[in-house]
Amino acid sequence: MTKTAAALVVAAGRGTRLAGSDNALPKQYRPLAGRPVLSHTLDALGNHPRINRLVTVIHPDDVNHYSEAARAASTETASKIGPAVYGGATRQQSVLAGLKALALEGFDYVLIHDAARPFLPSAVIDRLLEQLQAGNEGVLAALPVADTLKRADQSGRSLETVDRAGLWAAQTPQAFPLQRILKAHEKAVAAGKLDFTDDTGLAEWDGMTIVLTEGDPAAFKITTAADLRRAEQQAELQLMSTTPASPLPLSELADVRTGIGYDVHAFEDGDAVILGGVAIPHSSKLKGHSDADVVLHAITDATLGAIGDGDIGQHFPPSDPQWKGASSDQFQMDAMRRLSERGGRLAHVDVTIVCEEPKIGPHREAIRSSIAKICAMPFSRISVKATTSERLGFTGRKEGIAALASVTVRLPFQDED
């Protein structure tokens, strides 16, 4: 019988080694492709069919950050997320707190994973669970050490080459039968052994036999600013590879075209405006047959313009009752379908929002993230700007909002009549 498995995500650390202007924000909550690093990590685990539950150990000061990350995860992941657990002063204490919480639910296996390893291939999880199912006490995902290793003396001047044969670089997840690793953690506390920074190290101390399984270079840990830049590049490549677009490589999509879109909607009584799929609280709403999302309407027109396929009113006429109150993301997704049928893909979206109010700045990144998700594009390929009309015209009189969009697409060259 297949046994149940849970994942324990360790996210209580402060990430002090990651330099940057926003040092107060722990690395697991830094933005990555438009959403927190932790949300990517949760999805990597939660989207796996064998993972039944996710418990995250967090710092008490990070409740709001954690809630934001959990909301940004996929629907499937969200259905598996259990209540967060507060961690301790050390990683070992945090893991023990999480294990105790999971033990109350009676899972057979636990995968303990670093929050700052957002790129975890499902094949690694498969291998870990296969080894546990085979009866092993513990399994470590690891990579063989490829670089030549050197040991320096205290002065740092004298070097000694270390034989790398048989050496492996440990990754996470590290997988165990839940009750067995919980007992090992409790035994370590009772013995006053409180300095373990690795769960397999603690398990070995308790006499458990650990086996290796192949990790993956993609599952690196974000520790430095350079790691975060590498993660951004990997996230973009990952999203591009899963985007339902042209099967052709970019080198064959050499017909680059640009479309321009413009839309405007007036204010009417309401309590929020929808811009780029994001509801922004306001004293009015935008008037329109659909949800009046002026940003997505402009993007849709620009996309259709780039492929020479009419405009939004032609495909979704306001006279048609089925579009009354409709969410505007479906308009843009239809335009993307038309682009995909021509063998093309979106390359860049640039939007300018013109209004006196509401203030766009506080919501800019959320709008970018929403557009990126709707368009199935990397966050870095979405630009959102805002300006006023210096109190001139209908936007200056606070009568409505205008949006201008420029969309770049790539298409294969075709013979034209």
Side-chain angles (χ1 to χ4, degrees):
M1 183 178 68
T2 301
K3 296 188 176 182
T4 57
L8 175 59
V9 181
V10 187
R14 313 320 293 149
T16 55
R17 283 180 288 177
L18 181 59
S21 59
D22 51 348
N23 286 325
L25 191 62
K27 61 187 177 185
Q28 59 269 31
Y29 301 113
R30 298 287 185 100
L32 175 63
R35 56 195 181 106
V37 168
L38 178 58
S39 71
H40 294 269
T41 305
L42 292 172
D43 276 347
L45 292 159
N47 288 334
H48 193 283
R50 290 287 308 278
I51 301 298
N52 306 111
R53 174 69 75 206
L54 291 166
V55 166
T56 305
V57 186
I58 67 172
H59 192 283
D61 293 345
D62 294 340
V63 172
N64 291 337
H65 295 316
Y66 169 72
S67 297
E68 179 184 350
R71 285 194 300 269
S74 72
T75 301
E76 182 177 359
T77 297
S79 68
K80 300 178 180 181
I81 293 178
V85 176
Y86 290 153
T90 66
R91 186 184 189 280
Q92 183 179 341
Q93 292 174 339
S94 295
V95 170
L96 178 56
L99 292 174
K100 287 180 177 179
L102 281 173
L104 297 176
E105 299 191 61
F107 293 102
D108 298 300
Y109 301 142
V110 61
L111 277 64
I112 304 173
H113 189 54
D114 295 330
R117 293 184 189 268
F119 306 111
L120 174 62
S122 61
V124 174
I125 300 176
D126 290 338
R127 291 191 287 269
L128 289 165
L129 292 175
E130 286 170 3
Q131 290 291 341
L132 288 180
Q133 199 78 32
N136 290 296
E137 288 187 299
V139 191
L140 169 66
L143 294 172
V145 173
D147 295 328
T148 298
L149 300 178
K150 298 287 185 177
R151 180 185 290 114
D153 63 12
Q154 291 184 346
S155 68
R157 295 176 180 175
S158 178
L159 295 179
E160 173 190 358
T161 300
V162 178
D163 183 3
R164 66 176 183 234
L167 293 181
W168 292 74
Q171 294 185 312
T172 66
Q174 298 178 3
F176 310 90
L178 175 56
Q179 289 298 329
R180 182 66 182 90
I181 191 63
L182 173 58
K183 289 179 181 178
H185 267 271
E186 291 175 335
K187 183 177 177 180
V189 172
K193 298 289 292 184
L194 307 176
D195 55 350
F196 290 105
T197 59
D198 174 270
D199 296 291
T200 54
L202 185 150
E204 291 161 1
W205 167 83
D206 193 37
M208 295 170 62
T209 299
I210 308 300
V211 298
L212 290 171
T213 190
E214 184 182 357
D216 195 293
F220 67 92
K221 186 176 183 179
I222 297 174
T223 303
T224 66
D227 293 332
L228 190 58
R229 290 191 295 271
R230 176 186 172 190
E232 281 286 357
Q233 295 171 348
Q234 187 158 318
E236 179 165 336
L237 290 172
Q238 187 178 74
L239 183 54
M240 292 293 284
S241 68
T242 58
T243 299
S246 172
L248 298 174
L250 288 179
S251 60
E252 296 187 30
L253 299 177
D255 187 359
V256 180
R257 303 184 184 184
T258 300
I260 297 173
Y262 173 79
D263 196 42
V264 58
H265 283 278
F267 286 129
E268 66 177 5
D269 290 341
D271 57 8
V273 296
I274 299 176
L275 299 175
V278 176
I280 299 174
H282 188 50
S283 57
S284 303
K285 68 176 183 177
L286 291 173
K287 182 179 180 179
H289 186 64
S290 64
D291 63 2
D293 190 328
V294 65
V295 170
L296 287 182
H297 291 182
I299 294 173
T300 301
D301 263 351
T303 306
L304 293 170
I307 60 176
D309 196 357
D311 59 29
I312 191 171
Q314 177 183 336
H315 299 294
F316 304 96
S319 58
D320 190 335
Q322 71 172 309
W323 307 121
K324 183 173 179 58
S327 175
S328 295
D329 57 353
Q330 59 189 305
F331 304 155
Q332 174 58 14
M333 287 188 283
D334 182 76
M336 291 168 55
R337 175 186 62 79
R338 295 171 184 274
L339 170 63
S340 181
E341 288 175 350
R342 290 163 170 79
R345 70 193 312 166
L346 289 177
H348 185 254
V349 174
D350 182 27
V351 182
T352 300
I353 304 170
V354 185
C355 64
E356 297 290 333
E357 57 183 33
K359 297 296 184 184
I360 303 301
H363 309 283
R364 185 195 314 273
E365 300 309 287
I367 295 172
R368 289 182 69 197
S369 180
S370 176
I371 295 171
K373 184 175 181 180
I374 292 166
C375 294
M377 292 179 67
F379 180 77
S380 61
R381 292 181 178 269
I382 306 296
S383 171
V384 174
K385 308 186 297 294
T387 187
T388 70
S389 54
E390 299 294 341
R391 301 187 180 276
L392 300 174
F394 70 92
T395 57
R397 294 190 297 271
K398 303 181 182 179
E399 295 173 357
I401 297 178
L404 303 92
S406 175
V407 169
T408 304
V409 304
R410 300 184 66 140
L411 293 160
F413 272 117
Q414 298 178 351
D415 292 332
E416 298 180 358
D417 296 335

